[in-house]
Amino acid sequence: MNDHTLRSFLQSGDPAENVEDRRLEALQASLMQQIALTEQEPSSSRPVFLPRRFLVLSRGFAFGVLLCGAGVLAGRLVALPLMAQKVVQVEEPAPTVLALASPWGEWIGE
Amino acid sequence: MHNFESLGDPALMALIALGDKTSFALLSRRHMKTMVCVAQRILGNAAEADEVVQESFLRLWINAAKWDPDGPGTVKTWLGRVVTNLCLDRCRARRTIPLDDAGDIIDPAQDVRDRLGDEDRQRVVRQLLDKLPDNQRIAVVLSYFEDQSGKEIAETMGVSVGAVESLLVRARRTLREAVRTYGFVWGEDL
């Protein structure tokens, strides 16, 4: 049996030979109904995605804040025992001094 | 009023991506019959074929914006790929067929051309196609019934042209053996 014969043999008994137009029309109508249904879905149920750049920036910012907090805490932990043993004398400056030492000191002083 | 009928598939896809239902209706009508026939030949079941085609067109509606007109393949091959993949999923899911759905086995004693009516002939071809592994059946359906080239089949199935040729060679061998086993006589070549 050559290829041409096999082809004509298979095509003579095509399992999809009798696909009716009526069936296709029904399928089309059902499909259009489903499309309409997908459009009627409430927008609140759809997930809202933030831009990727925004997510990366906000994560970076949060990481930076955490790092600063951790640095202050570590500094305190190291300084406290040294202060207790009088190895170092740290005098807490008065708030006004702190304010004057800041870049806005001159402006505040006025 | 635009004449949508004259628009090609890529232009319709662009309009569908914007949510145009008229374009979708036109595109789906354009390819519906081909996809139904492909699915029915692979699955051998009209109801399942309809479900697969419906699911495929819904995916087209949802993912129209992602379709790249400059990419490999056409809308038809993309759609064909979705249909064949969904058919493959169904074939894998129904490895065991209930005996009632399997149909009667044709008596292989007589000449197939003389004896068989249209329905019986369809059943014989169905049984022959069912003897093939899923990938070979899809290649045979696209080649022998849809007259697609090796390149088109490769694009639809997502494999190389060489792999398609290999699938078709093995399928032909299996089909010839099956035809001999059945004792069917078809022409003088057997």
Short mmCIF file of all heavy atoms in Angstrom, two decimals, chain B residues 102-135:
data_model
loop_
_atom_site.label_atom_id
_atom_site.label_comp_id
_atom_site.label_asym_id
_atom_site.label_seq_id
_atom_site.Cartn_x
_atom_site.Cartn_y
_atom_site.Cartn_z
N ALA B 102 -16.05 1.78 23.20
CA ALA B 102 -15.02 1.35 22.27
C ALA B 102 -15.58 1.00 20.89
O ALA B 102 -14.86 1.00 19.90
CB ALA B 102 -14.29 0.13 22.85
N GLY B 103 -16.86 0.71 20.79
CA GLY B 103 -17.46 0.38 19.50
C GLY B 103 -17.24 -1.08 19.13
O GLY B 103 -16.43 -1.78 19.75
N ASP B 104 -17.98 -1.52 18.12
CA ASP B 104 -17.85 -2.92 17.70
C ASP B 104 -16.58 -3.10 16.88
O ASP B 104 -16.17 -2.21 16.13
CB ASP B 104 -19.06 -3.31 16.85
CG ASP B 104 -20.34 -3.16 17.64
OD1 ASP B 104 -20.27 -3.33 18.88
OD2 ASP B 104 -21.38 -2.84 17.05
N ILE B 105 -16.01 -4.28 16.99
CA ILE B 105 -14.84 -4.58 16.17
C ILE B 105 -15.32 -5.08 14.82
O ILE B 105 -16.22 -5.92 14.73
CB ILE B 105 -13.95 -5.65 16.87
CG1 ILE B 105 -13.37 -5.04 18.14
CG2 ILE B 105 -12.84 -6.13 15.94
CD1 ILE B 105 -12.69 -6.02 19.03
N ILE B 106 -14.74 -4.53 13.76
CA ILE B 106 -15.17 -4.90 12.42
C ILE B 106 -14.65 -6.29 12.07
O ILE B 106 -13.49 -6.60 12.31
CB ILE B 106 -14.63 -3.87 11.41
CG1 ILE B 106 -15.10 -2.45 11.77
CG2 ILE B 106 -15.02 -4.23 9.98
CD1 ILE B 106 -16.59 -2.24 11.69
N ASP B 107 -15.51 -7.09 11.49
CA ASP B 107 -15.11 -8.42 11.03
C ASP B 107 -14.15 -8.26 9.86
O ASP B 107 -14.50 -7.71 8.81
CB ASP B 107 -16.36 -9.18 10.60
CG ASP B 107 -16.00 -10.55 10.04
OD1 ASP B 107 -14.85 -10.96 10.24
OD2 ASP B 107 -16.87 -11.17 9.40
N PRO B 108 -12.93 -8.74 9.99
CA PRO B 108 -11.94 -8.49 8.94
C PRO B 108 -11.97 -9.51 7.80
O PRO B 108 -10.99 -9.65 7.09
CB PRO B 108 -10.64 -8.58 9.73
CG PRO B 108 -10.90 -9.57 10.79
CD PRO B 108 -12.35 -9.47 11.12
N ALA B 109 -13.04 -10.21 7.64
CA ALA B 109 -13.03 -11.31 6.68
C ALA B 109 -13.23 -10.88 5.22
O ALA B 109 -12.82 -11.58 4.32
CB ALA B 109 -14.11 -12.32 7.06
N GLN B 110 -13.88 -9.75 5.02
CA GLN B 110 -14.23 -9.43 3.64
C GLN B 110 -13.49 -8.20 3.10
O GLN B 110 -12.79 -7.52 3.82
CB GLN B 110 -15.75 -9.16 3.56
CG GLN B 110 -16.57 -10.35 3.97
CD GLN B 110 -18.03 -9.95 4.11
OE1 GLN B 110 -18.51 -9.04 3.46
NE2 GLN B 110 -18.73 -10.65 4.97
N ASP B 111 -13.72 -7.93 1.87
CA ASP B 111 -13.12 -6.78 1.21
C ASP B 111 -13.74 -5.50 1.76
O ASP B 111 -14.95 -5.31 1.71
CB ASP B 111 -13.39 -6.88 -0.30
CG ASP B 111 -12.66 -5.79 -1.05
OD1 ASP B 111 -12.71 -4.64 -0.60
OD2 ASP B 111 -12.06 -6.10 -2.08
N VAL B 112 -12.88 -4.62 2.27
CA VAL B 112 -13.39 -3.42 2.93
C VAL B 112 -14.15 -2.50 1.97
O VAL B 112 -15.15 -1.90 2.30
CB VAL B 112 -12.25 -2.67 3.64
CG1 VAL B 112 -11.28 -2.08 2.65
CG2 VAL B 112 -12.78 -1.59 4.52
N ARG B 113 -13.69 -2.42 0.75
CA ARG B 113 -14.30 -1.49 -0.19
C ARG B 113 -15.69 -1.96 -0.61
O ARG B 113 -16.60 -1.17 -0.81
CB ARG B 113 -13.40 -1.34 -1.42
CG ARG B 113 -13.81 -0.19 -2.31
CD ARG B 113 -12.78 0.11 -3.36
NE ARG B 113 -12.19 -1.10 -3.91
CZ ARG B 113 -11.29 -1.09 -4.89
NH1 ARG B 113 -10.86 0.04 -5.37
NH2 ARG B 113 -10.78 -2.20 -5.36
N ASP B 114 -15.83 -3.27 -0.75
CA ASP B 114 -17.12 -3.81 -1.18
C ASP B 114 -18.13 -3.82 -0.05
O ASP B 114 -19.31 -3.61 -0.27
CB ASP B 114 -16.94 -5.25 -1.69
CG ASP B 114 -16.09 -5.27 -2.93
OD1 ASP B 114 -15.96 -4.19 -3.56
OD2 ASP B 114 -15.53 -6.33 -3.25
N ARG B 115 -17.65 -4.10 1.14
CA ARG B 115 -18.57 -4.43 2.21
C ARG B 115 -19.00 -3.22 3.04
O ARG B 115 -20.14 -3.12 3.47
CB ARG B 115 -17.89 -5.46 3.13
CG ARG B 115 -18.73 -5.92 4.29
CD ARG B 115 -18.01 -7.02 5.02
NE ARG B 115 -16.65 -6.65 5.38
CZ ARG B 115 -16.32 -6.01 6.49
NH1 ARG B 115 -17.24 -5.65 7.34
NH2 ARG B 115 -15.08 -5.74 6.75
N LEU B 116 -18.08 -2.32 3.26
CA LEU B 116 -18.36 -1.29 4.26
C LEU B 116 -19.18 -0.13 3.73
O LEU B 116 -18.93 0.38 2.64
CB LEU B 116 -17.03 -0.74 4.79
CG LEU B 116 -16.14 -1.73 5.53
CD1 LEU B 116 -14.85 -1.04 5.93
CD2 LEU B 116 -16.84 -2.29 6.75
N GLY B 117 -20.14 0.30 4.53
CA GLY B 117 -20.87 1.53 4.24
C GLY B 117 -20.06 2.69 4.79
O GLY B 117 -18.99 2.50 5.35
N ASP B 118 -20.62 3.89 4.65
CA ASP B 118 -19.88 5.07 5.11
C ASP B 118 -19.59 5.04 6.60
O ASP B 118 -18.49 5.35 7.04
CB ASP B 118 -20.68 6.34 4.77
CG ASP B 118 -20.61 6.65 3.29
OD1 ASP B 118 -19.76 6.05 2.60
OD2 ASP B 118 -21.42 7.47 2.82
N GLU B 119 -20.62 4.64 7.37
CA GLU B 119 -20.45 4.63 8.83
C GLU B 119 -19.41 3.60 9.24
O GLU B 119 -18.58 3.86 10.12
CB GLU B 119 -21.78 4.31 9.52
CG GLU B 119 -22.64 5.55 9.69
CD GLU B 119 -23.91 5.26 10.48
OE1 GLU B 119 -23.87 4.36 11.32
OE2 GLU B 119 -24.92 5.94 10.23
N ASP B 120 -19.49 2.41 8.62
CA ASP B 120 -18.53 1.37 8.96
C ASP B 120 -17.12 1.78 8.57
O ASP B 120 -16.16 1.52 9.31
CB ASP B 120 -18.89 0.08 8.23
CG ASP B 120 -20.08 -0.61 8.89
OD1 ASP B 120 -20.33 -0.33 10.06
OD2 ASP B 120 -20.75 -1.40 8.21
N ARG B 121 -17.03 2.43 7.42
CA ARG B 121 -15.70 2.84 6.96
C ARG B 121 -15.10 3.86 7.93
O ARG B 121 -13.92 3.81 8.25
CB ARG B 121 -15.82 3.44 5.56
CG ARG B 121 -14.49 3.58 4.88
CD ARG B 121 -14.65 4.05 3.47
NE ARG B 121 -15.37 3.10 2.65
CZ ARG B 121 -15.70 3.33 1.39
NH1 ARG B 121 -15.38 4.45 0.82
NH2 ARG B 121 -16.36 2.43 0.69
N GLN B 122 -15.97 4.75 8.40
CA GLN B 122 -15.49 5.72 9.39
C GLN B 122 -15.01 5.01 10.66
O GLN B 122 -14.02 5.40 11.26
CB GLN B 122 -16.62 6.69 9.74
CG GLN B 122 -16.76 7.81 8.72
CD GLN B 122 -17.79 8.84 9.14
OE1 GLN B 122 -18.55 8.61 10.06
NE2 GLN B 122 -17.81 9.96 8.45
N ARG B 123 -15.75 3.97 11.03
CA ARG B 123 -15.37 3.25 12.25
C ARG B 123 -14.03 2.53 12.07
O ARG B 123 -13.21 2.48 12.98
CB ARG B 123 -16.46 2.24 12.62
CG ARG B 123 -16.44 1.91 14.11
CD ARG B 123 -17.43 0.85 14.46
NE ARG B 123 -18.79 1.24 14.13
CZ ARG B 123 -19.80 0.39 14.00
NH1 ARG B 123 -19.60 -0.90 14.17
NH2 ARG B 123 -21.01 0.80 13.73
N VAL B 124 -13.83 1.99 10.86
CA VAL B 124 -12.55 1.31 10.57
C VAL B 124 -11.40 2.31 10.67
O VAL B 124 -10.39 2.05 11.33
CB VAL B 124 -12.57 0.68 9.15
CG1 VAL B 124 -11.18 0.24 8.74
CG2 VAL B 124 -13.53 -0.49 9.11
N VAL B 125 -11.58 3.45 10.02
CA VAL B 125 -10.52 4.47 10.05
C VAL B 125 -10.28 4.93 11.48
O VAL B 125 -9.16 5.13 11.92
CB VAL B 125 -10.87 5.65 9.12
CG1 VAL B 125 -9.88 6.79 9.28
CG2 VAL B 125 -10.89 5.19 7.68
N ARG B 126 -11.39 5.07 12.22
CA ARG B 126 -11.28 5.47 13.63
C ARG B 126 -10.44 4.45 14.40
O ARG B 126 -9.56 4.79 15.18
CB ARG B 126 -12.71 5.56 14.20
CG ARG B 126 -12.87 5.94 15.63
CD ARG B 126 -12.63 7.39 15.88
NE ARG B 126 -11.28 7.61 16.40
CZ ARG B 126 -10.56 8.67 16.15
NH1 ARG B 126 -11.00 9.62 15.38
NH2 ARG B 126 -9.35 8.81 16.66
N GLN B 127 -10.74 3.17 14.16
CA GLN B 127 -9.99 2.12 14.86
C GLN B 127 -8.51 2.13 14.46
O GLN B 127 -7.63 1.92 15.30
CB GLN B 127 -10.60 0.75 14.56
CG GLN B 127 -11.88 0.49 15.35
CD GLN B 127 -12.50 -0.87 15.02
OE1 GLN B 127 -11.89 -1.70 14.38
NE2 GLN B 127 -13.72 -1.07 15.46
N LEU B 128 -8.26 2.38 13.17
CA LEU B 128 -6.87 2.43 12.71
C LEU B 128 -6.14 3.61 13.36
O LEU B 128 -5.00 3.46 13.81
CB LEU B 128 -6.82 2.57 11.19
CG LEU B 128 -7.24 1.35 10.38
CD1 LEU B 128 -7.28 1.68 8.91
CD2 LEU B 128 -6.29 0.18 10.63
N LEU B 129 -6.81 4.76 13.41
CA LEU B 129 -6.18 5.94 14.03
C LEU B 129 -5.95 5.71 15.52
O LEU B 129 -4.94 6.14 16.07
CB LEU B 129 -7.05 7.18 13.82
CG LEU B 129 -7.11 7.75 12.39
CD1 LEU B 129 -8.11 8.91 12.32
CD2 LEU B 129 -5.74 8.22 11.93
N ASP B 130 -6.90 5.02 16.15
CA ASP B 130 -6.76 4.75 17.59
C ASP B 130 -5.58 3.84 17.90
O ASP B 130 -5.09 3.82 19.03
CB ASP B 130 -8.05 4.13 18.13
CG ASP B 130 -9.13 5.18 18.33
OD1 ASP B 130 -8.79 6.38 18.32
OD2 ASP B 130 -10.31 4.81 18.49
N LYS B 131 -5.16 3.08 16.90
CA LYS B 131 -4.01 2.18 17.12
C LYS B 131 -2.70 2.95 17.22
O LYS B 131 -1.70 2.42 17.69
CB LYS B 131 -3.90 1.17 15.96
CG LYS B 131 -4.92 0.05 16.05
CD LYS B 131 -4.65 -1.00 15.01
CE LYS B 131 -5.66 -2.13 15.13
NZ LYS B 131 -5.53 -2.86 16.40
N LEU B 132 -2.72 4.19 16.74
CA LEU B 132 -1.49 4.98 16.72
C LEU B 132 -1.26 5.67 18.06
O LEU B 132 -2.22 6.09 18.71
CB LEU B 132 -1.57 6.05 15.63
CG LEU B 132 -1.70 5.57 14.19
CD1 LEU B 132 -1.94 6.75 13.27
CD2 LEU B 132 -0.46 4.82 13.76
N PRO B 133 0.00 5.81 18.45
CA PRO B 133 0.30 6.67 19.62
C PRO B 133 -0.17 8.10 19.34
O PRO B 133 -0.25 8.50 18.16
CB PRO B 133 1.82 6.61 19.73
CG PRO B 133 2.23 5.39 18.99
CD PRO B 133 1.21 5.19 17.90
N ASP B 134 -0.42 8.86 20.39
CA ASP B 134 -1.03 10.19 20.25
C ASP B 134 -0.29 11.10 19.26
O ASP B 134 -0.90 11.72 18.40
CB ASP B 134 -1.11 10.88 21.62
CG ASP B 134 -1.98 10.10 22.58
OD1 ASP B 134 -2.87 9.36 22.11
OD2 ASP B 134 -1.76 10.20 23.80
N ASN B 135 1.04 11.17 19.40
CA ASN B 135 1.82 12.08 18.54
C ASN B 135 1.75 11.67 17.07
O ASN B 135 1.64 12.51 16.20
CB ASN B 135 3.29 12.10 18.98
CG ASN B 135 3.52 13.10 20.08
OD1 ASN B 135 2.80 14.10 20.17
ND2 ASN B 135 4.50 12.85 20.92
#
